Amino acid sequence: MAAAASCSPSVSVLLVMAVVVVVAAAPCSAVDPVNTYCGKNMSSAQAQVSVGQVLSELVPRASAGYYATAAAGRGDSAIWGLAQCRGDIPAPDCALCAAAAARQLAGACRGSADARVWYDYCFMRYDDVDFRGLPDTGYALVLLNTQNATDPEAFDRAQRKVMARVAADAGSDGGGGLARETARVEKGVSIYGLGWCTRDITAADCGLCVAQAVAEMPNYCRFRRGCRVLYSSCMARYETYPFFFPLDGQTTAAAGDYDMVVLNP
């Protein structure tokens, strides 16, 4: 299996209980991947044809409805795919992101039977095993802001409350797998929290997935001004600047530098 960070090159590899790749990563736009995963070799040449068919179906359908699944082929040529845009983004950005994701998977992961790509605005994957409906937290990305909060303890308390609400909201039946929360920490400092899930999993599983992502944050991001934990079924994120829609009218601050940790157990 291989993991490739697309926003910047890898600078070190640590071997511990999991394989961890640390990279210096700047926040990426809607058409720049946060990370790409390519794993398992194709079992047949026809499977690559199935990949092309799946990707070509996912792009227009996800662009139109923010979510799509597709399947093609039979036996050892069977491929299943999923694409989803973040529910708060404008429709043109969804279309751009879905198209970029398909190009990335077709190029970077050609010959791979399991491929996934994460963007700020969307997520896309395909596999030679039908993964749809199964919560997947087996592969994780953690992005952490290199800057600490000016009042770390107060910030940490506020951040935990915000993200606990995000996890609870994500698991609600009426949330559609998208949760957004904001809290003011002190004058001029607010915390913006977001959680979202792929629509193939249930609301209950979405809440559990986001809660697991939130639970990882103290392990890597305590006192940090921003953090993201991304799985293949959900993600959780907080920042000190508005990054989700609708924007609250504040001027978006510079995001700063980020480190990325790739957990591949």
Side-chain angles (χ1 to χ4, degrees):
M1 293 188 290
S6 302
C7 294
S8 62
S10 167
V11 295
S12 65
V13 178
L14 307 176
L15 296 178
V16 287
M17 294 300 292
V19 177
V20 180
V21 181
V22 181
V23 303
C28 303
S29 74
V31 294
D32 293 322
V34 175
N35 201 72
T36 304
Y37 171 88
C38 309
K40 293 192 296 184
N41 292 328
M42 286 287 186
S43 57
S44 71
Q46 185 60 36
Q48 189 64 56
V49 176
S50 298
V51 168
Q53 293 173 342
V54 165
L55 294 179
S56 67
E57 287 185 33
L58 289 176
V59 173
R61 291 169 56 194
S63 298
Y66 281 56
Y67 168 73
T69 62
R74 295 182 178 180
D76 64 0
S77 69
I79 295 292
W80 291 265
L82 177 150
Q84 182 162 330
C85 294
R86 219 175 71 196
D88 62 307
I89 68 170
D93 287 333
C94 176
L96 285 172
C97 196
R103 288 194 300 269
Q104 177 69 8
L105 290 183
C109 295
R110 183 171 181 80
S112 297
D114 177 4
R116 316 170 198 192
V117 62
W118 292 259
Y119 290 76
D120 283 349
Y121 285 179
C122 70
F123 170 75
M124 186 178 288
R125 72 180 293 191
Y126 69 78
D127 204 326
D128 61 356
V129 175
D130 190 358
F131 58 85
R132 298 170 300 178
L134 303 175
D136 187 349
T137 58
Y139 182 88
L141 308 173
V142 182
L143 284 84
L144 52 148
N145 195 305
T146 57
Q147 295 181 335
N148 284 337
T150 54
D151 187 347
E153 295 293 344
F155 184 88
D156 188 57
R157 289 192 297 270
Q159 178 270 121
R160 286 173 182 264
K161 290 179 180 179
V162 168
M163 297 311 295
R165 293 202 305 270
V166 165
D169 293 348
S172 64
D173 289 330
L178 177 68
R180 291 163 289 181
E181 292 284 348
T182 305
R184 186 167 178 166
V185 182
E186 57 183 307
K187 185 177 181 179
V189 179
S190 295
I191 296 176
Y192 300 83
L194 173 77
W196 66 287
C197 303
T198 54
R199 295 186 196 171
D200 60 315
I201 64 175
T202 66
D205 283 336
C206 175
L208 290 173
C209 188
V210 173
Q212 182 172 333
V214 170
E216 284 283 9
M217 289 180 167
N219 297 330
Y220 300 93
C221 304
R222 193 176 184 203
F223 304 145
R224 300 299 180 98
R225 293 175 62 88
C227 184
R228 278 178 270 181
V229 178
L230 299 92
Y231 295 126
S232 296
S233 290
C234 74
M235 63 80 67
R237 178 181 180 182
Y238 73 83
E239 304 287 355
T240 55
Y241 59 89
F243 66 93
F244 51 74
F245 298 91
L247 298 177
D248 66 359
Q250 293 192 33
T251 301
T252 301
D257 294 327
Y258 277 70
D259 290 335
M260 181 188 291
V261 180
V262 181
L263 304 180
N264 186 12

